[in-house]
């Protein structure tokens, strides 16, 4: 068997590949890592690295030669020209060649809760896999919707075996800590400048308070997260799993992160809370289907997410990399 991994040099790819290679169930798999802007370095004989764009038909043909399984992790954020190449043209080329292959068995797509609008769209109940797609503004969310639809339609049209894993904001190392940074080291968004007046923001920065966003109804914002290790385990459980074929799964923490609860943890460390009003919605990405069908459950909850992020110490060879804005 042979696995193709796109986006192998990204945040999820760099966590997934060593975990896959260490899994005894996949010991007879060869791996092709398709990289474009960044390339992985490996001395594992089972891994072949191919450089090139998914929008290049010849590159796609080389990468898919003899491939039985695809884990599609490659993504582009708010860069319309690149996003169209990767998410639409590139995915189409991959799927069209893969569905013609005698070796092809499963195509796994990593999607995101941007497809259902995460904090930009309101839901009266937990968001299940049956919820309609309601992307928030921007090219990234739009292309993720189109990726999911394209893959589902290839499944319908050509009986292509597929699996979609829909993840929220993916955390590793000290990401979660920097999501609350008030200065220009902030990871992700929304930028504080869009929510707080300049003078008030300057005062918050000078007093080193901890930001706690409130949602559109006045309660503390609740947003969904997942640690990259938990996401990788979900991917591993889905690969070559008949129960995962033709299915979409939400892969999220058991409960969304309550920004008030995070602020309360910070208060025990002596930081005052600064409450910030926002127009955003609190939502809950329901992971019940993945727990039941895949036998998966997340291991990193809120307290461990905080502990890992605030205790993480970087070495000289471990620079902070923002893979995408978040």
């Amino acid at each position: 068997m042979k696995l193709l991994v796109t986006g192998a040099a990204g945040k999820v790819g760099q966590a997934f590949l060593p975990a896959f290679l260490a899994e005894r169930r996949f010991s007879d798999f060869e791996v092709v890592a398709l990289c474009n802007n960044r390339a992985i370095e490996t001395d594992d004989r089972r891994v072949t690295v191919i450089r090139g764009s998914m929008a290049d038909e010849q590159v796609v043909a080389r990468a898919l030669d003899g491939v039985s399984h695809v884990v599609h992790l490659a993504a582009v954020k708010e860069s319309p020209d690149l996003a169209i190449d990767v998410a639409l043209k590139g995915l189409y080329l991959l799927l069209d060649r893969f569905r013609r292959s005698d070796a092809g068995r499963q195509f796994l797509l990593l999607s995101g809760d941007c497809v259902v609008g995460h904090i930009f769209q309101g839901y009266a109940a937990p968001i299940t896999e049956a919820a309609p797609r309601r992307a928030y503004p921007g090219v990234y969310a739009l292309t993720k919707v189109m990726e999911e639809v394209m893959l589902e339609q290839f499944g319908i049209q050509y009986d292509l075996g597929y699996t979609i894993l829909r993840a929220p904001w993916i955390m590793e190392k000290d990401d979660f800590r920097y999501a609350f940074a008030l200065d220009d080291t902030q990871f992700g968004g929304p930028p504080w400048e869009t929510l707080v007046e300049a003078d008030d923001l300057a005062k918050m920065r000078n007093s080193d308070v901890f930001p706690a966003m409130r949602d559109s109804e006045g309660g503390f914002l609740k947003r969904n997260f997942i640690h990259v290790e938990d996401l990788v385990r979900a991917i591993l459980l889905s690969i070559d799993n008949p129960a995962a074929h033709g299915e979409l799964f939400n892969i999220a923490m058991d409960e969304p992160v309550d920004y008030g609860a995070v602020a309360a943890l910070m208060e025990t460390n002596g930081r005052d809370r600064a409450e910030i009003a926002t127009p955003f919605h609190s939502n809950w990405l329901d992971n019940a289907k993945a727990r039941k069908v895949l036998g998966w459950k997340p291991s990193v909850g809120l307290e461990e997410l905080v502990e890992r992020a605030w205790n993480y110490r970087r070495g000289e060879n471990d620079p902070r990399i923002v893979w995408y804005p978040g």
Side-chain angles (χ1 to χ4, degrees):
M1 303 246 234
K2 184 186 276 191
L3 173 76
L4 168 65
V5 184
T6 71
K11 176 193 285 188
V12 180
Q14 289 205 18
F16 165 75
L17 192 54
F20 178 86
L21 292 170
E23 185 80 20
R24 293 181 63 182
R25 185 162 71 93
F26 306 121
S27 60
D28 63 341
F29 273 71
E30 297 177 53
V31 178
V32 177
L34 178 57
C35 306
N36 191 15
N37 295 325
R38 299 181 299 266
I40 63 169
E41 294 183 7
T42 179
D43 56 4
D44 194 304
R45 294 181 180 179
R46 294 163 60 194
V47 181
T48 299
V49 178
I50 293 179
R51 295 291 299 268
S53 169
M54 286 170 43
D56 185 324
E57 195 166 356
Q58 292 184 340
V59 170
V60 169
R62 284 178 55 215
L64 280 175
D65 184 31
V67 163
S68 56
H69 298 73
V70 175
V71 172
H72 183 39
L73 306 176
V76 175
K77 280 286 184 172
E78 299 300 330
S79 301
D81 52 342
L82 296 176
I84 295 301
D85 273 354
V86 172
L88 301 183
K89 181 179 179 181
L91 179 58
Y92 174 79
L93 291 175
L94 281 170
L95 289 174
D96 192 51
R97 180 167 288 271
F98 188 68
R99 62 102 175 171
R100 299 173 190 274
S101 169
D102 293 335
R105 293 177 55 163
Q106 182 189 24
F107 194 107
L108 187 149
L109 168 69
L110 177 60
S111 186
D113 68 345
C114 60
V115 168
V116 289
H118 67 81
I119 59 174
F120 290 87
Q121 304 285 3
Y123 293 83
I127 305 169
T128 70
E129 291 82 357
R133 297 179 176 92
R134 301 169 62 202
Y136 62 77
V139 69
Y140 176 68
L142 176 63
T143 54
K144 281 298 177 185
V145 168
M146 297 173 80
E147 283 183 346
E148 286 193 9
V149 172
M150 190 189 305
L151 183 51
E152 288 177 350
Q153 291 302 311
F154 265 80
I156 292 168
Q157 291 178 284
Y158 306 110
D159 196 29
L160 183 146
Y162 74 88
T163 303
I164 300 172
L165 301 185
R166 188 183 282 171
W169 201 358
I170 303 165
M171 296 287 106
E172 70 162 358
K173 299 179 179 178
D174 50 10
D175 282 347
F176 193 63
R177 175 184 176 185
Y178 282 93
F180 296 92
L182 288 166
D183 57 20
D184 58 7
T185 64
Q186 181 191 10
F187 171 55
W192 302 117
E193 292 83 356
T194 65
L195 300 171
V196 183
E197 295 292 338
D199 289 346
D200 293 334
L201 183 57
K203 292 176 183 176
M204 289 168 57
R205 287 170 171 166
N206 289 334
S207 57
D208 191 34
V209 295
F210 190 83
M213 287 190 281
R214 287 193 175 270
D215 63 23
S216 58
E217 296 183 357
F220 285 112
L221 184 69
K222 296 177 178 63
R223 180 175 178 176
N224 298 281
F225 290 82
I226 190 70
H227 194 277
V228 68
E229 292 177 8
D230 285 330
L231 175 56
V232 165
R233 284 194 301 105
I235 297 172
L236 295 175
L237 285 169
S238 301
I239 295 173
D240 211 34
N241 182 348
H245 284 206
E247 299 291 346
L248 163 66
F249 298 98
N250 290 335
I251 305 298
M253 291 167 61
D254 286 335
E255 296 183 4
V257 166
D258 184 319
Y259 278 49
V262 182
L265 289 172
M266 293 301 109
E267 285 176 328
T268 63
N269 294 324
R271 294 186 68 179
D272 292 332
R273 179 173 65 201
E275 297 183 5
I276 300 173
T278 79
F280 304 125
H281 302 277
S282 290
N283 286 317
W284 186 319
L285 198 65
D286 191 323
N287 68 12
K289 180 178 177 181
R291 293 174 69 95
K292 182 175 182 180
V293 177
L294 297 178
W296 170 88
K297 61 180 180 179
S299 61
V300 179
L302 174 57
E303 291 191 6
E304 184 169 352
L305 193 62
V306 169
E307 183 178 352
R308 288 191 184 200
W310 265 263
N311 290 334
Y312 189 82
R313 296 293 178 266
R314 291 182 176 274
E316 293 183 1
N317 62 343
D318 183 25
R320 176 158 179 75
I321 298 174
V322 177
W323 301 101
Y324 49 78

